[in-house]
Amino acid sequence: MTRIYLSSPHMSGLEQQYVQDAFDTNWIAPLGPHVDAFEREFAERVGAKYAAALSSGSAALHLALILAGVGPGDEVLVSSLTFSASVNPIAYVGAKPVFIDSERASWNMDPDLLVETVERKVRQGKRPAAVLPVHLYGQSADLDPILEICNRYAIPVIEDAAEALGATYKGRAPGTFGQTGVFSFNGNKIITTSGGGMLVSDDAELITHARKLATQSRDPAPHYQHSEIGYNYRLSNVLAGIGRGQLQVLEDRVQARRRNFAYYQQTIGDLPGIAFMPEAPWGRHTRWLSVITVDPVEFGSDRERLRLALEAENIEARPVWKPMHLQPVFSGCETVGGGVAAEFFARGLCLPSGSNLGEADLERVAEAVRSLRR
Ligand SMILES: *Cc1c(COP(=O)(O)O)cnc(C)c1O
């Protein structure tokens, strides 16, 4: 029985011609024509004015925080239900995360809790330095109320759209609403360059500055001169070539992942105790991952027992992200609510979701889930 992975890379064949071109022209460097073209093509695809191609989504988040002026002692309000990569960069700049619970329509940052928290912080004379909503598993957070409260107090919004390339919020791409937006091309994301990320913004100066910070902050001088701390965060021209090929099939990848989800709905949706991550009314969920919840009483097994049953069939499934307010490394950080995210963690399971899964793979997964009920 071959292993069925959660989300594995899916090349289209188009990537190789770009990689070959990088070799033919000897642009094996963290700059070059594919980097420039990938930035242009990506910005156009998501509807942002400018984009900077970087070595990872984490690097993009780190630079986004620096560009927002977040520094030591500042507070950043961030979704609790996410991957640790959303929060680690807050620590890199010496700031403190304040974790905001999820709402139930999209599982993302609860705007009501955010509004309450911002108002309270402002009253206490401690305006948050940034708000960092995450667009989880391929679905946008409810951005309008988030942007409204942040605009009222001039708080920069940094969108973590690492999981949400291809999604929409009221017809536009999440990641393009805030001061900056961050995308990831890690190996398990909806498109991949093996590793890589993108920072987007409508502010030309911010993106120019991001490119400078990402190349060791060289001042415009023929000698090596630096007037601020720099980083080595640029994307390789070879990997940008992979990204250009992947970007061309993004829409196919979204459709394939949504088909996986529809298949699971049809084949296991009737089982008592199994429910699905909802698609909120404000936009398109890419179903980067197909996520279910398991009610242990109604289903007769809990999420972990189901996960182990799938593992026994050589099927990779993963619990929903363990919320950041429950992580040992962030213990002691301020948290607003947390019960909703904790419930999604206790019950949530991500099923195999790759765009390269075949009908037989999906059948095996559905059958393994159903067999626990017999
Ligand atoms: C993958 C991911 C990141 C980090 O992206 P990398 O490219 O792996 O550094 C950040 N946030 C979220 C929510 C992610 O899923």
Side-chain angles (χ1 to χ4, degrees):
M1 251 184 332
T2 55
R3 184 155 179 81
I4 300 178
Y5 291 100
L6 185 78
S7 177
S8 68
H10 186 184
M11 292 299 113
S12 66
L14 300 168
E15 298 80 9
Q16 232 150 3
Q17 75 196 52
Y18 294 106
V19 172
Q20 189 59 48
D21 175 78
F23 275 72
D24 292 346
T25 56
N26 202 33
W27 278 105
I28 314 294
L31 79 169
H34 289 323
V35 173
D36 300 341
F38 188 35
E39 290 177 345
R40 275 197 312 274
E41 289 159 4
F42 190 90
E44 191 180 337
R45 176 64 175 78
V46 298
K49 285 211 179 101
Y50 309 100
L54 302 169
S55 53
S56 69
S58 303
L61 279 166
H62 188 189
L63 295 186
L65 287 160
I66 293 169
L67 293 165
V70 181
D74 285 340
E75 288 185 337
V76 176
L77 311 191
V78 59
S79 312
S80 180
L81 190 66
T82 186
F83 180 39
S84 64
S86 306
V87 182
N88 287 332
I90 298 172
Y92 301 166
V93 298
K96 288 183 289 190
V98 175
F99 298 119
I100 309 289
D101 203 358
S102 298
E103 44 80 9
R104 291 179 184 277
S106 73
W107 296 21
N108 289 311
M109 179 182 278
D110 183 331
D112 294 336
L113 290 182
L114 177 73
V115 169
E116 270 174 37
T117 310
V118 169
E119 297 283 8
R120 174 168 55 84
K121 296 278 177 192
V122 169
R123 270 199 312 277
Q124 293 166 346
K126 188 136 182 58
R127 188 172 57 118
V131 169
L132 204 166
V134 181
H135 306 300
L136 212 59
Y137 294 131
Q139 170 156 264
S140 179
D142 189 6
L143 282 165
D144 279 346
I146 295 173
L147 294 164
E148 191 193 313
I149 186 74
C150 291
N151 287 341
R152 189 177 314 156
Y153 294 107
I155 302 168
V157 173
I158 299 166
E159 293 178 73
D160 182 348
E163 301 182 1
L165 179 57
T168 61
Y169 179 74
K170 301 184 180 175
R172 282 173 54 196
T176 62
F177 290 80
Q179 178 183 78
T180 49
V182 166
F183 295 87
S184 166
F185 313 118
N186 205 325
N188 61 1
K189 296 299 192 324
I190 196 157
I191 63 170
T192 182
T193 60
S194 74
M198 196 71 83
L199 182 71
V200 306
S201 180
D202 285 345
D203 184 331
E205 250 172 76
L206 278 187
I207 294 300
T208 303
H209 193 181
R211 292 195 189 109
K212 180 183 176 213
L213 289 167
T215 46
Q216 308 289 20
S217 293
R218 281 184 65 186
D219 291 342
H223 50 278
Y224 280 75
Q225 176 172 299
H226 311 272
S227 33
E228 62 186 328
I229 296 294
Y231 303 85
N232 182 6
Y233 278 172
R234 243 354 205 153
L235 185 68
S236 142
N237 191 61
V238 180
L239 302 188
I242 301 178
R244 292 184 72 189
Q246 287 272 280
L247 195 59
Q248 290 178 43
V249 293
L250 172 60
E251 189 55 30
D252 296 346
R253 299 302 184 250
V254 173
Q255 294 306 333
R257 286 184 188 253
R258 285 181 60 89
R259 276 199 303 276
N260 293 338
F261 182 84
Y263 181 91
Y264 290 135
Q265 268 188 319
Q266 281 155 24
T267 51
I268 60 172
D270 60 319
L271 295 175
I274 298 290
F276 293 83
M277 181 182 178
E279 181 171 44
W282 50 73
R284 179 170 81 162
H285 194 322
T286 66
R287 304 295 181 186
W288 169 59
L289 294 187
S290 284
V291 189
I292 61 170
T293 57
V294 183
D295 180 321
V297 176
E298 282 185 46
F299 185 64
S301 300
D302 65 7
R303 179 263 284 156
E304 197 49 19
R305 188 152 165 244
L306 175 56
R307 190 185 70 79
L308 292 170
L310 292 167
E311 190 55 54
E313 299 289 326
N314 211 11
I315 295 166
E316 183 185 28
R318 290 219 197 123
V320 158
W321 299 123
K322 180 172 185 174
M324 292 303 113
H325 74 279
L326 300 177
Q327 296 288 354
V329 69
F330 298 121
S331 68
C333 291
E334 185 181 341
T335 304
V336 182
V340 177
E343 178 193 316
F344 293 149
F345 169 58
R347 296 187 168 197
L349 188 68
C350 306
L351 297 177
S353 304
S355 46
N356 47 6
L357 292 176
E359 181 96 14
D361 300 317
L362 294 168
E363 264 169 37
R364 250 176 77 195
V365 178
E367 184 48 34
V369 177
R370 294 193 75 86
S371 68
L372 255 191
R373 286 286 302 174
R374 291 195 200 104

